[in-house]
Amino acid sequence: MRLPLSHSPEHVEMALLSNILAAYSFVSENPERAALYFVSGVCIGLVLTLAALVIRISCHTDCRRRPGKKFLQDRESSSDSSDSEDGSEDTVSDLSVRRHR
């Protein structure tokens, strides 16, 4: 005795066709509701995409900003100690570098 296979190709095709016909009949009977569902889905997708982009950009800038501050503080402290040793020429170049930042 064989049990009928519920996942046979014919059964899957018929289920797909049945779902397509059911969706078409729903849309034809309720066009306003179908449009509302469609627009709501698009808006929710756009909001989620925007939120993901904002989170990605904020995390990306935070990760780059933290190591850079420490590096700049170390660099400024080393340039301050070299200013007192070297003389006035380095002071002018350091001022132009600071203005450039």
Side-chain angles (χ1 to χ4, degrees):
M1 182 171 134
R2 286 182 82 180
L3 296 173
L5 296 174
S6 62
H7 296 292
S8 66
E10 295 86 19
H11 186 268
V12 172
E13 289 175 6
M14 291 302 292
L16 180 64
L17 183 62
S18 174
N19 287 337
I20 290 172
L21 289 174
Y24 177 76
S25 67
F26 176 79
V27 170
S28 65
E29 291 173 6
N30 304 311
E32 296 89 6
R33 187 179 285 184
L36 179 66
Y37 290 155
F38 177 76
V39 171
S40 297
V42 169
C43 290
I44 290 171
L46 288 173
V47 167
L48 290 176
T49 303
L50 181 64
L53 285 173
V54 167
I55 291 170
R56 181 178 177 218
I57 290 171
S58 66
C59 289
H60 187 67
T61 55
D62 286 345
C63 292
R64 285 192 173 199
R65 193 179 315 159
R66 288 183 185 159
K69 284 184 179 179
K70 185 176 180 183
F71 177 72
L72 290 175
Q73 288 173 353
D74 292 341
R75 192 169 160 195
E76 286 177 1
S77 65
S78 66
S79 66
D80 290 343
S81 63
S82 66
D83 286 346
S84 61
E85 296 171 359
D86 293 339
S88 64
E89 291 178 7
D90 289 334
T91 306
V92 174
S93 65
D94 284 343
L95 288 174
S96 64
V97 169
R98 288 182 185 160
R99 285 183 196 147
H100 182 65
R101 285 186 203 160

